[in-house]
Amino acid sequence: MDFAFDARTRELRERLLAFMEEYVYPAEAVAAGQRARLASPWDTPAVFGELKAEARRRGLWNLFLPDPRYGAGLTTLQYAPLAEITGRSPHLAPMATNCAAPDTGNMELLAQFGTQEQRKRWLEPLLAGEIRSAFAMTEPAVASSDATNIETRIERAGDAYVVTGRKWFISGAMNPDCKIFVVMGKTDPDGADPRRRQSMVLVPRDTPGVEVRRAMTVYGYEDHDHGGHAEVVLDGARVPAGNLIGEEGAGFAIAQARLGPGRIHHCMRLIGMAERAIELMCRRAAGRSAFGGELAERGVVRNWIADARVTVEQLRLLVLKTAWLMDTAGNRGAHTEIQAIKIATPRAVAEILDRAVQLHGAGGVSQDFPLAQLWAAARTLRLADGPDEVHQRSLALRELRKYR
C-alpha cells in the first residue's frame, strides 16, 4: 500500500515498523512478567516507561493529533496506516506512542473545545504522557446506545456543578494514573430538544463523591495494560463551573465530534490485529503437521488464509477512503463511510481471529498466544462506540432517503 501514501507517511511507517520489531514485540512478554510482580495489577509495568521514552526519541509521539500545536500534524489519511501498525500489538503500541484510547479522544476534545485553563491543566500533561484520562458516558441502567437516555445529572449550584450518576465500562479508570474524567450527563433533562439536554464536564478523580467502584471484565479479561474498564459512581461530586466543556447543551454534539476520529482509529488498529492473525496463521500452518502432512497443505487452511487476505485488503481500502473523506469533507461528509467501517471491520476481523484461534487449537484460547485476547477486543468493538445495529439503522435511513 506504499503507493497510496506520501513521503512523510512512508518514512513514519518505516520508523514505526522498526520500533515495533526492536522494542514493542519483545516487550510483550516483559510487560506480562513485570505485571505479575507488581503490588497491584493496575500499576504500570516499568517497561512502559522505557517504550514511551524510546518512542519520543524516535519522533513517534502523539501521532494522532492533526493540530501541529499539540501533535504530529498528520491528516487522518496519514495517520491511518500508522494506527494499523500499532494495532498489531494493541495493548502496548498505542500506549507506547501516546496514541491510546480513551486519551486520544479526550485530548482531541480538549484541544478543540477546551478553555485555555482546561488545556493548561489537563491537556498538557496528557500530551506529555504524564497522566491518563477516562470518558464517562455509558450507564448500566439505560440503553446507552441511545445517548438521549443517559440519566446522570449535572446540576448548576452557584459557581459549581454537582454531578450525580452511575457509569460503567469506563475505560482506563482503574489505572492510578487516570486523573480526570470527562463526564457526560444532563443539564436540562426536560428540554424540548433531546439532543440539547446533555453537557460534558471535567471531574478530577480525587473529587469528593467520586468512587471507582470495581473493574468490569471483558470476556473475562481485565485489560490491565489498557487501564481496565470500571464502574464509577458520582454521588454529588462538586466541581467548579469552569470545568464545563463548551456550553450547556453541547454535550451531544461534542460527543459526536469526539467519536468520529475514534471510530476510524479503532478500525485501523483492528486491521493491524487481523494482519497479526494472518502472520500467526501462516507460521502455524507452515510449522505444524497433523494426519501425515503440514497444515499448510490442507485446503481449508489455505482457504482461510486467502479469504483473510482478501478481506483485509477490502477493509483497508474502505477505511482509507473514509480517512480521505474525513480530511476533505469533514466528519459529516464521511458519515456514511464512518458507519460502514464501524459495521464491517470488527465483524470481519473477529471472524479472521476466530479462524486463527481454530488453527492454533488449544493454544489459540490460551495466554501463550495473543489471539484470544485480540478476538475479545474485536468482538467488543461491535458494541463500543455504538453497536452494529445503531449504525446499520442510521446508514440504511440515509440510503433510503435517496429514493423517497
Side-chain angles (χ1 to χ4, degrees):
M1 289 297 296
D2 278 357
F3 68 88
F5 306 128
D6 65 310
R8 187 182 182 198
T9 305
R10 288 197 297 270
E11 193 271 332
L12 282 170
R13 285 185 74 245
E14 291 304 313
R15 206 187 304 170
L16 185 55
L17 286 168
F19 176 62
M20 296 289 290
E21 289 292 339
E22 296 169 24
Y23 285 88
V24 175
Y25 298 136
E28 290 177 338
V30 175
Q34 289 181 351
R35 188 173 296 284
R37 297 189 295 272
L38 292 172
S40 166
W42 302 110
D43 290 339
T44 303
V47 72
F48 275 82
E50 299 167 15
L51 290 173
K52 287 182 175 183
E54 184 62 24
R56 295 193 77 161
R57 191 185 70 79
R58 295 185 179 217
L60 301 170
W61 191 256
N62 292 335
L63 298 169
F64 69 97
L65 267 170
D67 190 330
R69 293 176 298 170
Y70 305 117
L74 300 175
T75 65
T76 312
L77 184 59
Q78 288 175 313
Y79 176 62
L82 308 178
E84 175 186 331
I85 292 169
T86 64
R88 299 181 189 184
S89 184
H91 293 90
L92 265 70
M95 273 68 73
T97 55
N98 213 40
C99 294
D103 295 325
T104 48
N106 292 338
M107 285 188 268
E108 289 171 329
L109 183 153
L110 288 167
Q112 188 173 353
F113 302 103
T115 65
Q116 185 174 351
E117 181 181 348
Q118 290 169 354
R119 290 196 293 266
K120 179 70 176 176
R121 184 176 179 188
W122 301 114
L123 177 59
E124 289 185 10
L126 282 167
L127 289 169
E130 296 168 354
I131 65 171
R132 298 290 307 276
S133 63
F135 184 69
M137 180 174 173
T138 305
E139 299 181 3
V142 297
S144 300
S145 56
D146 179 357
T148 63
N149 284 337
I150 286 171
E151 295 180 340
T152 294
R153 294 291 185 263
I154 303 174
E155 299 170 308
R156 186 67 183 256
D159 60 354
Y161 283 101
V162 178
V163 187
T164 303
R166 179 177 168 223
K167 303 287 188 178
W168 73 343
F169 286 95
I170 307 309
S171 298
M174 294 302 298
N175 190 314
D177 292 330
C178 177
K179 303 299 184 184
I180 187 68
F181 296 102
V182 178
V183 179
M184 186 163 173
K186 288 181 177 174
T187 45
D188 185 15
D190 301 315
D193 184 350
R195 296 195 176 194
R196 292 286 302 173
R197 297 171 182 169
Q198 304 86 5
S199 301
M200 286 192 190
V201 67
L202 292 163
V203 181
R205 184 195 189 101
D206 59 3
T207 303
V210 175
E211 177 191 359
V212 179
R213 182 164 288 181
R214 59 172 176 155
M216 307 299 303
T217 62
V218 179
Y219 286 104
Y221 292 102
E222 289 188 319
D223 286 349
H224 296 115
D225 292 329
H226 190 64
H229 313 279
E231 179 183 0
V232 179
V233 175
L234 303 112
D235 185 8
R238 180 181 291 266
V239 298
N243 283 25
L244 184 74
I245 302 173
E247 61 182 14
E248 286 193 13
F252 195 92
I254 293 173
Q256 291 305 306
R258 180 189 184 279
L259 289 170
R263 286 167 179 149
I264 196 166
H265 297 172
H266 279 316
C267 288
M268 286 308 294
R269 284 191 291 264
L270 279 163
I271 293 172
M273 291 160 59
E275 288 285 9
R276 185 88 183 265
I278 292 172
E279 177 188 345
L280 289 169
M281 289 171 73
C282 291
R283 292 184 184 280
R284 184 75 166 187
R288 200 82 164 181
S289 296
F291 303 104
E294 281 188 352
L295 293 179
E297 298 300 319
R298 308 302 177 190
V300 66
V301 173
R302 291 184 174 185
N303 289 345
W304 287 350
I305 293 170
D307 288 347
R309 172 51 58 206
V310 171
T311 298
V312 164
E313 298 302 323
Q314 291 172 327
L315 291 172
R316 183 183 288 113
L317 288 172
L318 179 57
V319 175
L320 290 176
K321 176 195 176 186
T322 305
W324 171 76
L325 277 173
M326 290 175 69
D327 291 334
T328 56
N331 286 5
R332 186 176 295 274
H335 190 264
T336 295
E337 285 74 13
I338 290 172
Q339 291 183 317
I341 63 173
K342 182 60 175 64
I343 295 165
T345 313
R347 182 189 299 171
V349 172
E351 184 175 352
I352 291 171
L353 286 161
D354 186 72
R355 289 177 173 174
V357 168
Q358 192 74 6
L359 186 56
H360 283 72
V365 299
S366 76
Q367 70 271 38
D368 288 355
F369 295 91
L371 294 167
Q373 193 167 13
L374 292 178
W375 179 89
R379 180 61 183 85
T380 302
L381 282 171
R382 292 185 61 189
L383 295 168
D385 292 349
D388 292 359
E389 293 76 14
V390 171
H391 294 291
Q392 288 172 309
R393 172 180 177 272
S394 179
L395 196 155
L397 286 172
R398 281 176 171 265
E399 288 296 306
L400 287 165
R401 285 195 199 107
K402 302 174 185 177
Y403 302 95
R404 284 178 171 168

